[in-house]
Amino acid sequence: MSRFPTRPIARLGGHGGIVHAITYSSGSSDFILTGCADRTIRLYNISRASLDSGNPTSGLVKKFSAHGYEVLSLAVNQGNDRFVSTGGDKTVFFWDVATAQTLRTWRGHGGRINACAFGGEDESVVVTGSWDGTVKIWDVKSNSPKPIMTLDDAKDSISDVCVFDAEIISGSVDGRVRSYDLRMGMCNVDVIGHPVTSLTVTKKGSEILTSSLDSTVRLMDRENGQLLKAYRDEGFVNNELRVKSTLGQNDSVVLSGSDDGMVYAWDLLEGDVLHKFKHSDMREVKGKKPSMTAGGQKDVASSVAFCKIRKEWASGGGDGNVVVWGIEP
Amino acid sequence: MAFKRPRPSSPSVSQKRSRAPQGQTQHGGYVKCGTPMSMEQDGDDGAFVPVWKQTVTDDRGRRRLHGAFTGGFSAGYFNTVGSKEGWTPKTFVSSRSNRNKDQTNAPMQRAEDFMDEEDLAEAAAARQLETVGAFAGIGGADQPAAVHDGLFGLMITEDETMGVKLLQKMGWRRGQGIGPKVRRHARIEDGEGSGSTDAVPEQLFAPEDARVRVFAPPTSKRGGLGYRSDAPSLVQDVQPDAIRKVPLGLPSLEGISDALRPKKPKVRKSGIGTGILNDNGSDDEDPYELGPKITFNRTIAKEKKMKKPTSIKASKFAKAAAGQRHVFVPQRDATQTSSSIDRLCRDGSLPLKGFSLLTIADGLGARHKLPPPRIPEGWTSSKNPLGLAASRQPLQSIANATRASTLDAKGRASLLSEKALPGKSIFDYISKEDRDRLAALTGKNLPPGLGQQLPEDTKNQSFSQGNDLWGFVPALDKHVATAALAKGTTGWMPYGDDPKKRARYIGFLEIRAGLKDGLPERVPGITNVEWGQELREFAQAAHVFKPIQGLMASRFTSSTSHPQSHARGGPSHTPLLGVPEPKPEDPAETAAKLGMYGAMTRTVIPFHPARLLCKRFNVKPPPDVPFDSESAPRSSRTEEPVSKAAMNQMFHQAMIVGSSMSHPSSAEPHSAAFIPDRAAEQAPVDSETNEALLENRASDDVFRALFGDEDDD
């Protein structure tokens, strides 16, 4: 197993609240887009950012502000010229990156929108999952203000959606992962048993990583719904907040934030904890129990994102910082 | 139309009577003696009246066409328009969009709409009654009652039914009977007797025709309870002494025809106020019959004494004159008049050996009039006299009976010895003191509180060792216990780390499955509460591993009652408060909590992606996608009781279970527990036997009791 990036290489500051969403840009992944509780979306250039705390906005390229509520999720398209953001204002914003203007807004959800994802051929649809328990699919190509489709099977809030090939996968607080297969016209409902907060599909598409509020990250077999691996740690706490988990390093590492500001990395196959990081301290934690800092409620590692092409990942937390971790030079 | 003649009160057939020739209606016409009766009452005898004397009246004799000074307006009003309002033009209705021919029940314009009263009367006069169909003369094929003259059958309607045609193709002729030919002597048909039958050899003859016996429709049985009809019944009508025999040569025929024809009942004279509603009520008199009900003699002379037929022989000869038809001999006559030909069947043959013909006298009439069996003196019913008394009570409505009943649902259940459903009440949670306080406040017989000693239960004799301890044993359905046990034999069983506990678990399951009696065993030295907790844990574990019951099971929830209060507290009390039972957990959820992800946690539901969505994803839509899938399929999932989607889901569930059974290597080992259940569910089908057909026929009494209540006489 290759080395894991453990050294913080950049700190992206300037946020006025919890960073709810972090997304690497597509392609070369030079940019990071962050969605914050201060209702703005920021675009950072990682290469220009520094660890220097004296310049909190180093590397900041652009700010996108149209949201009236917190920004909860982001999705960037493959061409890097458009992205979608959703948040507490029940509205899906479709942005043009260059002009920092919203090209389109879609209204129709009845509550805050927790997740969004691009999907379809040429990313022609946007899939959003909302607190109102519905997944709505919006058409990018047409001017229709109405969604193409609404999936309302969930009995509770949708916490995450993702799209793989022709399947739309939604994770809900009712503890179920629903995979809508458009080809077959079938929906596989897998019961996780606890509210699902994060979904990540592997590159192969045959497994899915789910975080749920029982302090467990699970790797599920999408074929038959069986549990392949459960990732736990005695220090790993995730039972009340929506924290993201992700896969990295060519799907060999499971990375997840936690309620207490830690970021855990597990080996995907073995299930062992590889590393533990304290997000707010920007350091790796060795040993059993990390020292509890006086961060209180705000000390949460709410979002993590792994760079697809480099050994690099980023974590965002309640302190309003995004830390980019990389290999030591 | 005005009349040229004053003809006041004669709405006669033809109001426009042409003037009769003068000479005929004058006094000298064809009248030879007496004075001729005037055709008109008012003296309009067609005599010449000068024009200035003629008046014009309408059909009621009112004068119309007044002079200009005597009411010309009235003349125009009454003679031309016919309504006070004058002409009322029809409002124009455009038929462009509403075509007349398109309307299904459009008002058809008839010629009568354009006729005035006069024309209508004329049209009515021009109409004359005609028979429909080909009638030739007197006889009609479908009129058996029209045989009162002896010429019946001489003239028959020309058209032939298909049956007649078929019979004729088979060699049958009119007037013959149907059946094989009979060898007999030829009958001399001149009515002189049969003196020389010996000389004539026997020939083959067609069988004699037999009249189809027509039974009179049942009458006078539609009155209410206790009603006694004044109308004489038909049977009384056809008493043998009342059969009128007309000495025309067809005595038997005449007799039966008279008997069969439903007679006009003799109208009983009733007093004033005999109307439609309170008439004498027989059904075969038409209350709406027109005309006065006058009884009169239809014969001028004194009614003839009816002659009885002298013999059958005579009647046969008589019939021979009529072309040897209609040899129907009424049985009553036959039995009474002749013993030589006794009781022939309808076709004239003798009844089968060992059978005797039923006659009204000894059969039908007497059959239902058997007196009830006499109860021997001193006999007392072995039935409950209380029940007898109860049955004597006037009928109660169900609602009244329910209200009067002192039993509640649990009491009835205990009467029927039903098994109590598992459930809990608030008294499982409150202490004895609280319970006593509640009981004192309400004065009701309350179920025992928490940990309270329960009263003796007489029902469970076998559990007498610890009736109170049974309160700690949680209820578990038998099939659940059996399924959990079966699962244990095939593989997975909880408490693998503690073999003693597992043994206790198995013991508990066996007890609940009915395989073993007695209390579940307990770890020595633990309290009852701890023991009950363990047993509850066992029950929960068994529930976890019971097979998924399918969607149908989750659609219904059974009402729960308190088993202890049912068993111990007696039927008369009701618990004060009901505690809502916690919702049964989804078995998939339970399995997920236990970490058993896989087939148990996966359900497949159909999903109809919108066509546009499939297009955007560049996938071929599944074949069952409707065109407008945004509106149609998804919203209807919960509206129907069992929607199509839900049915599909059930099928998929069944498929999942089936596939996991057929591939045990890939599936969970627990699914093997389904096998005995599913095998038991399928009823054995034997295509060779049909029990419903093979069963013995019930006795005739049963049928008679069920159906044979025609009560005819």
Side-chain angles (χ1 to χ4, degrees), chain B residues 51 91 93 101 120 127 169 311 452 468 545 563 609 680 695:
Chain B
V51 174
T91 52
V93 178
K101 62 180 171 55
L120 282 175
R127 201 187 301 147
K169 287 213 168 157
S311 72
Q452 194 177 355
D468 51 340
F545 298 113
E695 267 184 0

Side-chain angles (χ1 to χ4, degrees), chain A residues 120-121 124 137 139 148-151 153 165-166 176 180 182 185-192 218 222-223 225, chain B residues 586 588-589 592 597-598 601-610 612-613 616-619 622 630 634 637 652:
Chain A
E121 196 180 38
S124 51
I137 300 153
D139 194 357
I148 300 176
M149 196 167 180
T150 301
L151 312 172
D153 295 301
D165 193 17
R176 278 156 177 81
Y180 298 92
L182 299 183
M186 285 294 160
C187 173
N188 289 332
V189 183
D190 286 328
V191 181
I192 302 298
R218 287 181 179 85
R222 294 195 53 218
E223 189 69 29
Chain B
D586 191 358
E589 198 108 14
Y597 296 100
T601 58
R602 164 159 292 194
T603 49
V604 181
I605 58 175
F607 153 67
H608 305 285
L612 181 58
L613 187 60
R616 289 281 182 262
F617 274 84
N618 197 17
V619 296
E630 173 63 29
R634 302 199 57 83
R637 264 168 44 93
H652 281 295

Side-chain angles (χ1 to χ4, degrees), chain B residues 20-318:
Chain B
Q22 296 251 346
Q24 283 190 9
T25 49
Q26 290 291 29
H27 290 265
Y30 296 114
V31 179
K32 295 299 178 208
C33 63
T35 50
M37 278 171 66
S38 171
M39 297 289 284
E40 317 287 341
Q41 283 90 334
D42 60 346
D44 178 23
D45 50 359
F48 175 74
V49 180
V51 174
W52 58 271
K53 269 190 175 174
Q54 290 177 2
T55 55
V56 179
T57 60
D58 65 357
D59 52 354
R60 271 169 281 180
R62 290 173 299 198
R63 200 175 163 205
R64 297 295 174 223
L65 284 192
H66 308 271
F69 300 104
T70 55
F73 169 74
S74 171
Y77 159 39
F78 279 111
N79 291 314
T80 54
V81 181
S83 80
K84 238 175 200 172
E85 287 76 25
W87 292 105
T88 48
K90 279 191 173 177
T91 52
F92 174 70
V93 178
S94 169
S95 63
R96 188 181 172 194
S97 60
N98 188 18
R99 308 289 301 190
N100 234 4
K101 62 180 171 55
D102 293 341
Q103 295 175 3
T104 53
N105 48 1
M108 292 282 294
Q109 281 191 333
R110 300 174 305 156
E112 284 86 346
D113 295 342
F114 302 98
M115 294 184 179
D116 58 0
E117 301 168 359
E118 205 176 299
D119 296 330
L120 282 175
E122 197 170 62
R127 201 187 301 147
Q128 56 185 1
L129 284 177
E130 281 178 4
T131 54
V132 181
F135 262 98
I138 333 162
D142 51 347
Q143 258 190 324
V147 294
H148 54 278
D149 61 343
L151 304 175
F152 169 76
L154 284 182
M155 302 177 191
I156 282 184
T157 161
E158 303 298 358
D159 54 353
E160 293 176 335
T161 61
M162 187 49 75
V164 169
K165 283 179 189 163
L166 281 174
L167 280 171
Q168 280 180 337
K169 287 213 168 157
M170 294 161 70
W172 175 80
R173 309 262 174 75
R174 282 191 184 279
Q176 292 180 351
I178 298 167
K181 297 207 169 183
V182 179
R183 184 174 291 277
R184 62 167 165 79
H185 291 290
R187 292 197 183 104
I188 311 299
E189 315 254 314
D190 51 1
E192 291 185 2
S194 57
S196 62
T197 49
D198 297 340
V200 185
E202 288 188 333
Q203 306 267 350
L204 273 181
F205 284 98
E208 290 172 342
D209 199 4
R211 288 279 323 279
V212 175
R213 181 164 185 177
V214 182
F215 287 98
T219 53
S220 72
K221 281 297 170 188
R222 291 186 216 138
L225 198 64
Y227 169 75
R228 251 166 24 117
S229 173
D230 285 341
S233 69
L234 203 79
V235 174
Q236 288 164 347
D237 280 347
V238 292
Q239 289 303 316
D241 55 347
I243 294 178
R244 303 161 24 154
K245 299 285 189 279
V246 179
L248 196 65
L250 285 174
S252 66
L253 188 68
E254 181 59 27
I256 196 63
S257 72
D258 239 12
L260 292 179
R261 195 183 319 134
K263 283 190 168 185
K264 271 279 162 65
K266 300 181 189 72
V267 177
R268 206 165 270 190
K269 296 285 187 182
S270 44
I272 303 170
T274 301
I276 286 172
L277 293 178
N278 54 353
D279 64 350
N280 47 12
S282 87
D283 272 338
D284 43 23
E285 71 173 57
D286 184 11
Y288 302 98
E289 193 180 29
L290 294 178
K293 292 181 181 176
I294 305 168
T295 54
F296 53 89
N297 282 335
R298 289 185 172 82
T299 52
I300 297 172
K302 197 183 172 187
E303 202 164 317
K304 289 177 183 170
K305 273 270 185 190
M306 291 306 118
K307 280 184 197 163
K308 292 201 173 178
T310 54
S311 72
I312 293 298
K313 196 99 182 170
S315 75
K316 278 192 176 151
F317 280 117

Side-chain angles (χ1 to χ4, degrees), chain A residues 125-193:
Chain A
V125 298
V126 170
V127 182
T128 58
S130 163
W131 180 85
D132 63 4
T134 61
V135 172
K136 285 185 191 292
I137 300 153
W138 311 88
D139 194 357
V140 175
K141 285 191 168 175
S142 80
N143 273 325
S144 165
K146 292 195 341 186
I148 300 176
M149 196 167 180
T150 301
L151 312 172
D152 52 1
D153 295 301
K155 310 288 188 297
D156 209 333
S157 164
I158 301 286
S159 54
D160 205 354
V161 291
C162 59
V163 177
F164 180 82
D165 193 17
E167 290 177 72
I168 296 169
I169 307 153
S170 74
S172 170
V173 179
D174 64 2
R176 278 156 177 81
V177 175
R178 292 175 175 83
S179 302
Y180 298 92
D181 192 339
L182 299 183
R183 281 198 181 88
M184 306 298 296
M186 285 294 160
C187 173
N188 289 332
V189 183
D190 286 328
V191 181
I192 302 298

Side-chain angles (χ1 to χ4, degrees), chain A residues 218-237:
Chain A
R218 287 181 179 85
L219 188 68
M220 310 292 293
D221 193 342
R222 294 195 53 218
E223 189 69 29
N224 50 20
Q226 284 179 348
L227 176 69
L228 295 174
K229 204 78 192 170
Y231 306 97
R232 295 189 185 90
D233 189 72
E234 51 196 15
F236 175 60
V237 184

